[in-house]
Each structure stands twice: as C-alpha cells, then as structure tokens.
Amino acid sequence: MVKITYFVHGTTTDNEKEISSGWSDVELSPLGVKQSVDLKEQTKDMHFDVVFCSDLQRAHNSAKLAWEGVYTIIPDARLRECNYGTLNGAASAVVEPMQEEECITKPFPKARATRMLRRGWPTS
C-alpha cells in the first residue's frame, strides 16, 4: 500500500503581501524558514521513504530545511501549484475568487490547463 503525506511549503514573501505566486519563483520569508525548520521537529517520529516537492524554491527550500540529510528530496516541476497564467504574482484578492469559481473548469488567462495534473488520476 502506498501512503502519501502532504505538507505545504512555508510562508513566502508573496504570502505576506497577499500575492498569489502561482508559478512565480518566490522565496520563503523568515517566518517560512522558521516553519520549515519547525517541521523537522514536528515530523521527527514519522518515517518517509522519499520526499517529493515542486521545483520552485519555496517548496524545495522548505523540504531541504525540514529533511535534508534525512531523506532523499526529489524536486519535480509537475508538482507545482496552480499556474495563474498572466495572473502569476497578482493580488490574492483578484486570483482567489477566480480559483474558487470560474477557473475550476477552465484555465486562468494564458495558463496551461490544470487538467493535465489529473491525467490518469480519478476525478471523482
């Protein structure tokens, strides 16, 4: 049996400015660095065979701060969060309502369809 445990990356500089990064490659804020370091302690009694993360620095650095030297970390571009197209790096007040409503069934402006992420995975 395969068991997948999911963690989010630490807080970014964009998160603190209420910006939806999408595929913009932004760094962790000092808070995000602390959250990632704290995750190492919070997961010390857990075991993982491997850690997969997005190739964007916020995810890769979060994984390295938490588990470098403990587990193999494999960054993969296919694990990036939503591509907001021309809205990568736009205000969250603009992006988040679209994410919850109209862009569930169609891509963001000038973004590749997010349906590609579901290829081969059950959708129901």
Side-chain angles (χ1 to χ4, degrees):
M1 176 170 82
V2 174
K3 180 178 177 182
I4 297 173
T5 304
Y6 178 81
F7 298 97
V8 297
H9 59 74
T11 299
T12 68
T13 54
D14 274 1
N15 294 142
E16 291 178 345
K17 297 179 213 168
E18 297 185 4
I19 293 173
S20 293
S21 303
W23 281 19
S24 297
D25 198 12
V26 299
E27 62 188 24
L28 294 172
S29 69
L31 173 61
V33 169
K34 181 184 181 318
Q35 291 166 333
S36 299
V37 169
D38 289 349
L39 187 58
K40 183 174 196 162
E41 176 65 23
Q42 294 165 4
T43 60
K44 70 178 181 193
D45 295 328
M46 300 174 80
H47 172 76
F48 307 106
D49 294 318
V50 66
V51 173
F52 294 95
C53 63
S54 159
D55 64 330
L56 297 175
Q57 66 175 321
R58 59 187 177 264
H60 194 201
N61 289 341
S62 289
K64 288 192 297 185
L65 288 165
W67 301 296
E68 189 168 49
V70 180
Y71 301 113
T72 299
I73 299 170
I74 302 173
D76 189 322
R78 295 173 297 176
L79 296 175
R80 288 182 179 186
E81 56 191 89
C82 188
N83 181 354
Y84 301 133
T86 57
L87 296 174
N88 285 326
S92 296
V94 172
V95 175
E96 288 180 12
M98 293 176 72
Q99 193 172 21
E100 295 171 7
E101 297 163 10
E102 66 185 272
C103 290
I104 293 293
T105 57
K106 66 179 185 176
F108 280 86
K110 306 231 182 207
R112 291 190 350 214
T114 55
R115 294 184 67 85
M116 65 175 258
L117 298 175
R118 292 191 214 118
R119 190 175 339 153
W121 292 60
T123 56
S124 58

